[in-house]
Amino acid sequence: MDNDFQSHTDQERTIRPQLSMANTHRPQPFHTPQQPMQQAAQQAAVKKCPYCGFDNEPEAMFCAQCGQPISKMTCPHCGAEIDPDADFCEVCHHYIRKDVCSYCGAHLSGNEMYCPECGSPKGGLVCPTCNTLNDFAFCKKCGTALTEEARQLVRELQKNPDYQELLEIVRDYSKLENALPYNSERDMMREQNGEKLRERVLMLLAKDEGVEAPVIRKVESKRMTKDQLEEQKAVKLSMLTAILDKLAVPPSPSPVQVRNYAMASKPVGVRLAWVCNYKHAMHSSPCGCAKPQMGGKWIVLGRNSSAEINDDK
Ligand SMILES: [Zn+2]
Ligand SMILES: [Zn+2]
Ligand SMILES: [Zn+2]
Ligand SMILES: [Zn+2]
Ligand SMILES: [Zn+2]
């Protein structure tokens, strides 16, 4: 046991002997005075910025030169370490800003039960489609717009030509995803023989009715070989990737705005993940990202890649 630890526990023992044992084994509740932070500040006279090397005041939360966050905060719900400019804890999945409405970004005093701007309750909104409780304006599970502002955003996006193009490609792509290719050469032969038989029957029927040169319309098969299908899918996929890149959300001062815009622009019918510019993590949506204000984009997920997503639903 080193001396520091010895004197620390001795001190506690003299102040609150009956609590010292319990205290050493229990995490500090978030609202107690921040003793550990004071100690840390005394140890380091200056705080070096890990991004640019600038020597900052010991209590600085952000670098005075480059503006990057240099102090960690603790999540008020679970105590996890988080950046001071994060508004969401990725460990316990709670929204953590009391002064900003999580639905519309309006400034709050912190004591409101409902946002004076958008009227949303602080306790969360239940999605009418899937019953999930949400802290944000869109359902993190099914994508339903939950506030009037969110519905308005969706209506605006639907007028955007890029977004319309995206929806069209998604429709084509999901059609191909669900298409059934020929399993074998025999499959293809069977379908061709079936078509020949149909033509012959129609021809005979027409002759019975006295038509000498009947016009028999060919039935175009919608099925294709596995290779043809994969090729078409690859073409659509690269178109889809290109348009999702084009619709990538740039960094913005407001995390709430980025979250809402990204959720509003998510098309239905294809499996997507949100890749953020913060940690380049793959989220199921920007609702699982601590810093959506850094921007990000949707990417297409393969059929069996759900394991790559690192947040909960
Ligand atoms: Zn810096
Ligand atoms: Zn937390
Ligand atoms: Zn609001
Ligand atoms: Zn939902
Ligand atoms: Zn993220």
Side-chain angles (χ1 to χ4, degrees), residues 17 36 56 60 89 108 130 189 221 224 239 252 271 283:
N56 288 278
C89 173
L108 301 175
C130 73
M189 290 301 290
S221 171
M224 53 188 113
M239 288 168 76
S252 140
R271 292 192 58 229
H283 303 287

Side-chain angles (χ1 to χ4, degrees), residues 127 129-134 138-144 146 263 266 284-285 287 312-313:
C127 171
T129 311
C130 73
N131 285 323
T132 303
L133 185 66
N134 287 282
F138 287 82
C139 177
K140 61 189 167 187
K141 194 173 177 196
C142 73
T144 300
L146 303 174
M263 288 305 287
K266 185 188 184 187
S284 54
S285 84
C287 299
D312 72 346
K313 299 287 168 293

Side-chain angles (χ1 to χ4, degrees), residues 234-279:
V235 171
K236 288 290 171 192
L237 186 59
S238 67
M239 288 168 76
L240 194 50
T241 305
I243 191 119
L244 288 173
D245 282 351
K246 198 172 168 188
L247 287 166
V249 185
S252 140
S254 163
V256 176
Q257 265 176 30
V258 170
R259 229 180 244 118
N260 288 352
Y261 181 83
M263 288 305 287
S265 70
K266 185 188 184 187
V268 185
V270 62
R271 292 192 58 229
L272 300 176
W274 176 258
V275 177
C276 71
N277 294 342
Y278 170 35
K279 290 178 176 167

Side-chain angles (χ1 to χ4, degrees), residues 101 104 115 117-118:
C101 172
C104 73
C115 170
E117 201 64 44
C118 70

Side-chain angles (χ1 to χ4, degrees), residues 58-75:
E59 60 280 347
M61 300 285 272
F62 297 88
C63 174
Q65 181 160 284
C66 71
Q68 292 284 353
I70 49 173
S71 265
K72 294 285 181 184
M73 282 194 325
T74 357
C75 168

Side-chain angles (χ1 to χ4, degrees), residues 101-118:
C101 172
S102 60
Y103 305 93
C104 73
H107 184 79
L108 301 175
S109 73
N111 302 315
E112 300 92 339
M113 292 300 291
Y114 295 88
C115 170
E117 201 64 44
C118 70

